[in-house]
Amino acid sequence: MSARFLSIMILALALAELTGRAQEQNFCLVCHSEIKVDYLESIHAAFNVTCVACHGGDPTTLDSRAAHALEAFFRGTPQRAEIPELCASCHSDPMRMKPYGLRTDQYAEYQTSRHGKLLAQGDTRVAVCTDCHTAHRILPAWEPRSTVHFENIPSTCARCHAQRDQGVHSAALAKGNTKAPTCATCHGAHGAAPPGVENVSKVCGMCHLAERTHFESSPHKKSMDAQNIGECASCHGSHTIEPTDRKLFDTVCTNCHGADSRAHLVGQKIKTLLLAADESLREATHLLEQAQQRAVDVSAYRSRLIEARSYFLQALPVQHSLDIPHIEELTRRAKSIADDVRSSLHSFQGVMAIRLLGLTLVWVFLLLLMIVIYLALRERRGEHL
Ligand code: HEC
Ligand code: HEC
Ligand code: HEC
Ligand code: HEC
Ligand code: HEC
Ligand code: HEC
Ligand code: HEC
Ligand code: HEC
Ligand code: HEC
């Protein structure tokens, strides 16, 4: 990636020099000064893809008629329906793209997308190449000002699809988390289509691999696919995914299972197991913090709690398997370690309390002793007067 980046930069710099000269002879720029501004920033200008490559015409004259003459193969403004083919004339041609190491499958993918299919049926409201890339200010995706730079993708799609992703993922993107998915991660940039129901877990599983593996081993995988239910999205949604916790078991399972069904009971059982482990962990962590505030050395307890937490964190994805014995095993380990730490810290607290009481008694005794001595001294002094 960075090697490619470097070579592109070097090429671009070298070519910008050449471009400067080539564009001096490009009289289209003289009259079309608004487009000139965008165009000179674009990667096409840097690689000498000139106005004529897309529009035809004669770039060596300042005579408007001659410049736009049909004899000079001027083709005017491309119709929306023609644009993908125009771009593809270079971008699908392996011979032309080879020197740049660019993929040549964008047009092929586009044709299989919902956008491409509807365009072929004459619906020109769909996205064509220039809706996502612009026509004259085309920049590579790694350039932060590009309309297809990952941070800008949601707003690029949202020009037509009212801002969709409102959940954890877009919140994470907004915070600059580059690991969160954009529209194009789940839908593909050029294959934009909702993932088929049976493919949702693959899409989500690109990042949530453990959840995917356990979901696919569950009875849900087969029966959800058979009944055309969208896998992960049927419980989490696709664009308004909320942060998860134990409450989900009370709200989501009853969408499909009766409140007295076996399935719902299984959900409640899992919830109870997770809750118990979680509460025990929280309590132990709280005690640990208290002990630490009293400057007690708690490092041994801390490493045991880290171990307990890791069992709990394993149980969260495993929960998707609906495999009670497996969940029980992990939550039991988490809970028993946490309980252990808890009771040690409790008895430790007890010892501390007794010590404190002892110390207080000693001080009270000493204080009383001093008072007695003082009074005795005073009495003696009084006798002398
Ligand atoms: C002498 C100034 C001048 C030059 C040189 C010139 N243009 Fe134009 N161009 C214009 C003007 C003015 C219009 C708008 C006139 C109109 O709408 O008919 C225009 C319109 C266009 C349009 C839109 C036409 C349509 O039918 O939608 C395109 C595309 C275009 N020019 C491309 C080019 C290209 C490519 C070159 C260089 C080969 C070029 N022009 C050279 C002045 C110029
Ligand atoms: C990579 C192909 C490509 C190149 C290079 C290109 N254009 Fe265009 N141009 C288009 C497309 C596609 C449209 C259709 C409008 C759209 O989708 O935004 C267009 C639209 C236009 C229009 C009419 C609409 C408008 O935006 O005003 C003019 C005028 C124009 N181009 C002039 C130019 C000039 C001058 C240059 C060179 C500086 C140039 N174009 C370079 C593809 C290109
Ligand atoms: C005459 C051939 C030609 C045409 C037509 C053409 N391109 Fe390009 N395009 C290139 C070349 C050459 C490059 C520079 C290669 C590179 O980026 O390394 C390029 C670069 C790009 C890039 C940046 C790729 C990257 O990541 O580096 C995008 C995006 C792009 N073009 C989109 C389009 C779109 C959209 C259209 C149609 C409106 C189009 N191109 C029309 C030749 C063309
Ligand atoms: C719905 C929006 C959309 C449409 C339509 C679209 N693109 Fe893209 N394109 C993207 C996004 C987003 C990226 C960058 C991220 C990626 O590649 O996953 C991209 C990347 C590219 C790249 C760079 C790929 C690389 O390997 O660096 C090229 C070239 C390109 N598109 C050409 C085209 C062409 C040609 C068309 C029309 C046939 C087109 N795009 C239509 C959104 C779109
Ligand atoms: C120029 C407007 C426009 C842009 C930009 C655009 N789309 Fe679309 N998109 C449409 C239209 C119109 C449809 C067709 C809706 C329908 O089914 O009637 C569509 C359909 C879709 C569908 C299929 C919906 C379905 O119900 O099957 C998906 C998925 C999609 N777009 C994703 C994206 C993504 C992701 C991006 C950005 C990378 C994007 N779109 C950018 C206009 C656009
Ligand atoms: C985490 C993955 C993911 C992300 C990110 C995502 N989508 Fe989707 N999208 C899906 C799934 C899964 C479906 C189909 C399941 C469903 O209907 O809930 C879908 C369905 C769609 C549809 C068609 C159905 C509908 O609701 O109209 C459109 C259009 C769409 N998404 C556009 C977008 C746009 C635009 C963005 C970015 C702003 C985006 N998506 C971000 C996963 C995602
Ligand atoms: C039958 C409903 C259901 C399905 C289907 C489902 N989940 Fe979950 N998921 C839940 C519940 C309930 C929780 C909350 C567990 C907790 O925190 O107590 C959860 C938690 C999560 C979490 C956060 C906790 C963790 O594991 O770290 C992620 C991420 C997640 N699910 C992803 C997925 C993915 C990816 C899929 C598809 C492969 C999926 N889920 C399918 C119900 C479901
Ligand atoms: C490109 C990677 C990626 C893809 C694809 C992806 N996610 Fe995520 N997901 C993340 C990241 C990163 C976070 C953490 C966001 C945060 O907390 O800041 C996250 C968070 C979540 C959470 C919240 C977990 C919690 O602890 O509360 C759930 C639930 C979730 N994703 C479900 C899904 C589902 C369902 C899909 C598919 C429709 C999906 N994800 C696709 C990266 C991804
Ligand atoms: C979108 C619908 C849907 C949701 C939501 C859902 N399930 Fe299911 N579940 C099914 C389907 C379909 C089956 C296949 C058997 C059937 O039809 O009852 C199934 C089967 C099961 C089974 C195995 C069969 C059985 O009855 O013992 C269990 C256990 C189960 N689900 C638990 C859950 C739990 C726990 C939740 C909530 C975290 C949940 N389900 C949420 C659709 C769903």
Side-chain angles (χ1 to χ4, degrees):
M1 179 67 198
S2 66
R4 181 166 137 73
F5 181 87
L6 259 184
S7 64
I8 286 176
M9 291 309 288
I10 293 167
L11 259 177
L13 283 175
L15 280 167
E17 176 63 26
L18 289 174
T19 313
R21 261 177 264 150
Q23 305 291 354
E24 270 164 32
Q25 266 103 61
N26 183 352
F27 289 139
C28 316
L29 294 174
V30 176
C31 300
H32 293 284
S33 50
E34 277 182 37
I35 289 174
K36 179 181 167 181
V37 179
D38 280 347
Y39 172 73
L40 287 183
E41 276 188 49
S42 75
I43 184 129
H44 281 153
F47 284 86
N48 222 8
V49 177
T50 62
C51 319
V52 177
C54 295
H55 293 290
D58 181 354
T60 62
T61 172
L62 271 174
D63 173 10
S64 181
R65 292 255 311 264
H68 300 134
L70 276 179
E71 302 85 79
F73 303 103
F74 183 68
R75 54 181 295 188
T77 305
Q79 300 293 305
R80 285 180 68 74
E82 299 167 352
I83 291 173
E85 230 171 295
L86 167 67
C87 310
S89 66
C90 292
H91 283 282
S92 295
D93 184 344
M95 291 306 285
R96 285 184 109 143
M97 287 298 124
K98 205 170 173 191
Y100 312 102
L102 278 186
R103 289 165 53 174
T104 50
D105 57 355
Q106 296 92 9
Y107 183 50
E109 276 198 11
Y110 175 78
Q111 286 174 301
T112 66
S113 76
R114 183 97 177 122
H115 293 145
K117 282 185 183 155
L118 287 174
L119 187 73
Q121 292 166 21
D123 183 347
T124 54
R125 297 169 309 143
V126 296
V128 298
C129 319
T130 47
D131 289 311
C132 299
H133 291 286
T134 77
H136 299 123
R137 201 170 155 275
I138 294 178
L139 290 165
W142 50 259
E143 153 68 62
R145 291 171 308 158
S146 169
T147 50
V148 296
H149 184 63
F150 78 90
E151 277 181 301
N152 304 329
I153 289 173
S155 57
T156 297
C157 308
R159 286 176 46 214
C160 303
H161 301 284
Q163 188 74 46
R164 259 160 204 289
D165 201 316
Q166 305 282 345
V168 278
H169 293 139
S170 63
L173 268 185
K175 278 192 234 139
N177 184 343
T178 54
K179 288 186 183 129
T182 69
C183 324
T185 322
C186 295
H187 292 290
H190 301 109
V197 273
E198 73 287 359
N199 288 323
V200 171
S201 68
K202 284 201 198 94
V203 168
C204 311
M206 290 189 289
C207 304
H208 303 290
L209 187 60
E211 287 80 4
R212 175 188 168 184
T213 312
H214 292 292
F215 168 78
E216 291 191 344
S217 75
S218 80
H220 275 146
K221 166 72 182 159
K222 244 192 182 163
S223 29
M224 283 190 175
D225 288 357
Q227 298 184 28
N228 226 24
I229 300 172
E231 299 193 330
C232 322
S234 67
C235 290
H236 292 291
S238 46
H239 300 134
T240 48
I241 298 174
E242 303 263 353
T244 58
D245 68 18
R246 266 46 82 204
K247 287 188 214 86
L248 257 185
F249 292 99
D250 299 329
T251 51
V252 88
C253 311
T254 43
N255 286 343
C256 301
H257 300 291
D260 49 5
S261 63
R262 194 190 95 86
H264 185 58
L265 286 180
V266 168
Q268 290 302 307
K269 171 81 180 162
I270 298 172
K271 177 189 162 189
T272 313
L273 290 171
L274 291 172
L275 260 184
D278 193 21
E279 266 165 21
S280 189
L281 263 165
R282 270 172 214 270
E283 174 84 2
T285 312
H286 180 65
L287 287 175
L288 187 95
E289 276 160 8
Q290 277 186 342
Q292 200 177 16
Q293 273 164 17
R294 298 207 189 103
V296 176
D297 177 17
V298 292
S299 50
Y301 295 119
R302 167 153 305 126
S303 59
R304 297 209 63 206
L305 276 189
I306 290 173
E307 193 192 349
R309 178 155 296 279
S310 88
Y311 284 122
F312 177 70
L313 291 180
Q314 278 177 54
L316 289 179
V318 165
Q319 168 273 123
H320 290 90
S321 66
L322 301 173
D323 177 352
I324 299 255
H326 193 181
I327 303 162
E328 219 157 19
E329 159 83 7
L330 291 165
T331 48
R332 188 184 49 73
R333 287 194 184 183
K335 189 173 180 319
S336 72
I337 298 173
D339 284 347
D340 223 31
V341 171
R342 243 165 89 182
S343 60
S344 306
L345 282 170
H346 258 312
S347 46
F348 193 71
Q349 261 191 343
V351 172
M352 292 295 286
I354 291 170
R355 272 196 211 157
L356 195 68
L357 189 68
L359 213 61
T360 318
L361 286 177
V362 169
W363 276 109
V364 169
F365 175 72
L366 285 177
L367 198 69
L368 283 176
L369 198 66
M370 277 161 74
I371 292 171
V372 169
I373 291 172
Y374 172 75
L375 287 177
L377 281 175
R378 216 170 71 160
E379 215 160 288
R380 266 172 101 190
R381 243 184 258 155
E383 272 169 21
H384 283 282
L385 276 176

